[in-house]
Each structure stands twice: as structure tokens, then as C-alpha cells.
Amino acid sequence: MAAASQRSPTPRLQRRDSQGRPPQDGYGVYTYPNSFFRYEGEWRGGKTHGHGKLLFKDGSYYEGEFVDGEIMGEGCRLWVSSGNTYSGQFVLGEPQGHGTMKYKDGGRYEGEFSRGLREGHGCLVDQDGQVYQGSFHNNRRHGRGQMAFQNGDKYDGDWVRDQRQGHGVLWCADGSTYEGQWHSDVFSGLGSIVHCSGVGYRGMWINGHPVAQATRTVILGPEVMDVAHSSSFTLRVELQQDNGEVAESEDGRVLKISAGVRYVQLPAYSEVSFFKVDEGSQELPIQTPFGFECIAYPLSSPTSGGPELSATPESASTDSPLPQGDLEVTMVSNVLCDQEDTPGRLSAGGGMPRCPEDCRRVERGRAQFTDVCLGPPPPGYHPIPFLDSKHEKASSRPRGSLGPGRMTPTVRDPPAGSRPDGAAKAEPVTAAFPGEYVIIIRDVTNPPFLGRVLPTAFKHLRVSLKGMGQQPHIPGEDPQASN
């Protein structure tokens, strides 16, 4: 019997003895006393050593290399609680070195680990497909790195604790580019942006907002501009900050000029009272800040065939000459309309898009419109003049008071013997009639710079037959007395 027992083969699978000791050498299966761990694999000297698989009671497991009873070397680990899996290098049971972590939500990280955390250089793809490649610290993006976002934006720069912080460059999917300082994932500090609309800003930023940005458009000059009949004029425009300073950090906004005529004019300001508009040509009145409404009126240029006008900065003197050219006849009826027909986006070559002739691009917060001229009344606009009656007493009504109908005007034929009802043919009118007009400058930058459109600017314009700086005759007043 003893000889027979010595000739029987030794089984490869060793089991713990009656005293509960694990296998010593070779291949064996061992369930630990706490019943939470179960090991299948190679042993040496009573310790897990070589290749094996450690199973956990909750279904998690590790399969790979063991050294002297420790998880050490190449292996694969599944965590049932999180659903994450890792394959790569291990040190003392934790991912350390180079490896790949696949996350349950669909994300994936490949790179360096330390004590189970992302540490060093690696590439992280999140569940939305966003890709970060760069430095990590304590499981977070930290240091230098590049990221491609889901919306098409790309960033290359510094990171601190998963946020863009330090210096970096952002290329937006819409073509905008920002380069400068960041803090807490937003523009903060000194930086510059070239917006997809062509607008540029260079200066300080706080919490994602430019410090010296323009907040309003201002047309320079007196409160009421007096212009001689048939004369052209120049308008200088500034983009100003809240404190009244010129927003010289801004370039490239597109400003559009248009005009309107007072819907009901008063004899106290002009010999022309109002325009009668045909029903088919009726324009919606536009409210102005001057206490009256206006309707669309065309602008034209006194010259033709000239070069296109362009915005020019007033760097040295506001009187510096600018290139001159034509203003196409333009109606103000689209003042309150959308901006889908306005220029804005950069061309494929990266150059500035061409502006229509009734638009200017701002440079260093300034723009200028030269050779602006009011055109003749458009078809459907019939001027109705008021005559001065020597028997009327104008002193009973203060100058500038509203209220059509308070005086009974006498209507006479307009110049050239024309009546508004078309009873007689009028000679062609080549210029605007004397009266009250409004110049309108609006921000048509498309798309709006940082999502904001500047408020529309207005300038009260008074056209007089007597020349600039002279008041039109007021019915009931002695012309000599006014002098």
C-alpha cells in the first residue's frame, strides 16, 4: 500500500490543507478566510507569484501578474461598482505607470497613472467625444494641454485643476480666435480676440468680458446740425465706453448710415411742414429721441464713380482727410429689420469682407462718413409747404411746440408750380427740400460682436435755404428782427 501510494501522480491543483494554509508552489486555488477573495493561479513559497486571477465577492476581478503576494506588473482590472476597466501596469495593487482606462460612460484614457489616478502625460476622450491631450495631475487636466471640444472649438494652453488658466489660444468653430490670459475657464487678463464678424479687441478682460468695450455709438457735432440746401456734409462717429472714453481697443464693427425725414414738420423750424406719402409708399414711422417720428428718406452722393468709402481712424487729428466716394441711394426703412443682408464673416482667405458703400468699418473706435448728401424725395413723397402769413401772429405759440392743426396753414404750389395731387407736372427735383431730417447710424456687425448690438445713434439735421447756421424763417416773425 505504501508503494502504491508513492506511485500515484501528484495532482497539479493543490488545495489548502486541513489547517487552512494556501498552496505553497505551482498552480492552485485558494479562498481566503474572509470569503471576499478567491485566487486561481500560480504560487511560490505560499504566496501568489506569477500569473493568476483574483476574484472579488462583488464580481470585480484582477487578472495578470503577481509578485510575492502582491499585484505587480501587467494586468487587467474590472471594478463592478463603477463599471470601469483598466489594462496596463500595476504597482502594489493599483494602476501605476502606463495603461488604458475605459469608463462605463463611454470615456477612455490612455497614458500615465500614479496610485490609481491619472498623472503625467495622457490622452482623455470623454463620453461626448471631446479629446484632451496633455498633462494631468491628481486625476485632473493640469499643466500644458490641447483640447478639441464637441462644438468644434480647439484650445491649446495652460490648465489648472481641470480649468483653462494661464496663457492659451482658443480657436472657435465659427472662425473667432482668442489669445491671451485665462482664469477659471474664461478670458481674464490681457488678451486679444479676432471675432468671426471681423471685429477685433485688444486689451484687458475680466470674467470673460472686455473691460474697455464699446457700449454706445455717438455722432459727433452739435445737437442740431444745420446744413445748407443741396450741400454735402461729413459725419464723425465714435464708439464710446460707459465712462465716455473712446473704445480705441475695438476695430472692425460695421456701422450703417441711413436717414429719415420728420413725419410732421413744423413751420417753426422749416418752410416745409410735412411730406404727404402715397398709400402704396407708406413707411412705418421711426421713433427718434427728439420727440418726433420720422419716415424713411434716401441718401445719395453728390459725386459718382469715386472709390468706395472706408472707415479711417482719427489717430492724429479729427480733421484728417479720408478717402471719399459714393454713397448708394439707401432707404432707412430697414432700420428696424434684421441684419441678414449685412456683411460680417471673414472671407476664406482670412481678409476683411468688403463693406457696402453705406457702411464703414470702425478703426480704433472711430469711423467717418464723408460726402453725405440727402437725395431728392423718392417717388410717392409729396412735399406740402407752409406759407408765411403776414397777418398771423407766431408769438402766441412757442418755437418748436408740437400740435399740427393749432395753426391753419395756407398751402401753395411747391416749387415749379407742382401740386401734390399731380394737377401739374413738376420739374425734376435734384435735392432735398428744406426741413428737418434725421441721420441714423446703427451697428450692423454680423454676427454681433460677443452677442451684443450697440444701440442706434441719431443726429438731428436741419436743412435751410439760407445756408448753414441760419434759422429758417418762422411764419409771423419779421426777418429783419431776427437779425
Side-chain angles (χ1 to χ4, degrees):
M1 294 255 332
S5 63
Q6 291 177 359
R7 290 193 300 268
S8 62
T10 302
R12 183 172 181 269
L13 182 62
Q14 298 183 5
R15 302 180 183 277
R16 60 173 181 164
D17 57 24
S18 58
Q19 297 180 359
R21 291 179 298 181
Q24 293 298 306
D25 297 292
Y27 184 89
V29 177
Y30 178 67
T31 302
Y32 289 82
N34 59 12
S35 301
F36 190 79
F37 302 103
R38 182 176 185 270
Y39 175 78
E40 300 177 2
E42 297 176 336
W43 298 78
R44 189 179 72 176
K47 296 180 180 179
T48 55
H49 189 90
H51 187 274
K53 184 175 184 180
L54 182 65
L55 297 96
F56 300 81
K57 192 172 184 178
D58 65 354
S60 302
Y61 69 87
Y62 165 80
E63 183 173 7
E65 297 178 353
F66 291 80
V67 176
D68 291 333
E70 298 288 349
I71 296 175
M72 187 84 69
E74 294 286 338
C76 178
R77 176 82 155 88
L78 166 67
W79 291 267
V80 170
S81 58
S82 64
N84 301 335
T85 60
Y86 170 82
S87 60
Q89 297 175 331
F90 286 81
V91 173
L92 299 178
E94 293 183 323
Q96 183 152 329
H98 188 274
T100 300
M101 181 77 76
K102 296 181 180 179
Y103 301 97
K104 183 179 180 180
D105 59 12
R108 174 190 177 95
Y109 170 79
E110 181 175 359
E112 297 175 348
F113 287 82
S114 178
R115 304 183 67 177
L117 303 177
R118 298 187 293 261
E119 186 78 25
H121 189 274
C123 179
L124 174 65
V125 181
D126 65 17
Q127 67 271 23
D128 297 320
Q130 302 182 126
V131 181
Y132 171 84
Q133 187 166 2
S135 297
F136 289 83
H137 176 64
N138 200 27
N139 220 41
R140 297 180 178 180
R141 294 165 291 184
H142 190 93
R144 185 78 178 184
Q146 303 84 39
M147 185 157 184
F149 295 88
Q150 184 182 24
N151 64 356
D153 293 353
K154 296 180 180 179
Y155 172 80
D156 183 0
D158 298 327
W159 296 76
V160 174
R161 298 179 180 177
D162 258 351
Q163 292 186 327
R164 290 167 287 186
Q165 188 159 314
H167 184 274
V169 182
L170 175 68
W171 295 274
C172 298
D174 64 5
S176 303
T177 302
Y178 171 85
E179 180 174 5
Q181 297 298 309
W182 294 72
H183 189 274
S184 299
D185 227 26
V186 297
F187 309 155
S188 189
L190 186 63
S192 62
I193 188 171
V194 178
H195 193 251
C196 59
S197 62
V199 178
Y201 174 86
R202 295 175 296 277
M204 293 298 297
W205 299 73
I206 295 179
N207 293 328
H209 301 285
V211 174
Q213 68 175 329
T215 57
R216 61 176 177 264
T217 306
V218 177
I219 306 173
L220 303 182
E223 184 175 350
V224 179
M225 291 182 59
D226 288 298
V227 178
H229 180 252
S230 301
S231 298
S232 62
F233 53 93
T234 295
L235 289 175
R236 294 184 176 89
V237 182
E238 289 184 350
L239 303 187
Q240 295 185 357
Q241 308 172 46
D242 285 330
N243 59 9
E245 294 183 2
V246 180
E248 293 187 344
S249 298
E250 275 197 25
D251 294 304
R253 279 190 191 265
V254 180
L255 302 181
K256 184 173 183 178
I257 187 172
S258 52
V261 63
R262 184 165 181 171
Y263 191 47
V264 176
Q265 299 186 23
L266 302 177
Y269 287 102
S270 170
E271 292 173 308
V272 177
S273 178
F274 60 89
F275 279 88
K276 178 182 178 182
V277 183
D278 292 344
E279 292 184 2
S281 304
Q282 185 69 44
E283 296 282 346
L284 292 176
I286 302 166
Q287 185 62 50
T288 72
F290 312 121
F292 59 82
E293 294 180 333
C294 67
I295 52 176
Y297 197 85
L299 287 173
S300 64
S301 173
T303 60
S304 60
E308 180 186 355
L309 296 173
S310 61
T312 301
E314 300 174 19
S315 56
S317 170
T318 56
D319 296 327
S320 58
L322 297 179
Q324 297 184 358
D326 294 344
L327 279 175
E328 291 182 335
V329 175
T330 176
M331 297 295 290
V332 74
S333 57
N334 59 352
V335 167
L336 302 180
C337 297
D338 58 33
Q339 303 175 10
E340 62 185 8
D341 61 338
T342 59
R345 296 188 176 274
L346 294 174
S347 60
M352 194 70 72
R354 182 182 179 91
C355 280
E357 294 183 358
D358 56 351
C359 294
R360 298 292 179 274
R361 279 198 180 270
V362 173
E363 286 193 32
R364 294 183 60 83
R366 298 178 175 90
Q368 183 164 297
F369 295 84
T370 59
D371 276 350
V372 182
C373 186
L374 293 169
Y381 283 52
H382 307 290
I384 302 179
F386 278 79
L387 275 181
D388 177 18
S389 174
K390 294 183 179 180
H391 303 288
E392 293 174 340
K393 301 295 184 180
S395 59
S396 61
R397 182 173 60 89
R399 174 179 294 214
S401 64
L402 299 176
R406 296 185 183 180
M407 299 180 61
T408 305
T410 302
V411 180
R412 65 173 178 182
D413 288 346
S418 171
R419 291 297 298 261
D421 57 8
K425 292 184 179 180
E427 295 181 3
V429 180
T430 60
F433 286 93
E436 291 181 88
Y437 298 82
V438 176
I439 297 297
I440 304 171
I441 303 291
R442 57 191 182 103
D443 177 12
V444 294
T445 306
N446 186 31
F449 179 52
L450 301 181
R452 179 175 183 179
V453 178
L454 296 181
T456 301
F458 298 84
K459 176 62 69 175
H460 194 171
L461 189 70
R462 185 161 51 201
V463 177
S464 172
L465 285 172
K466 301 180 182 298
M468 296 180 64
Q470 299 186 17
Q471 296 284 344
H473 175 52
I474 300 175
E477 281 192 2
D478 185 358
Q480 300 299 329
S482 62
N483 296 328

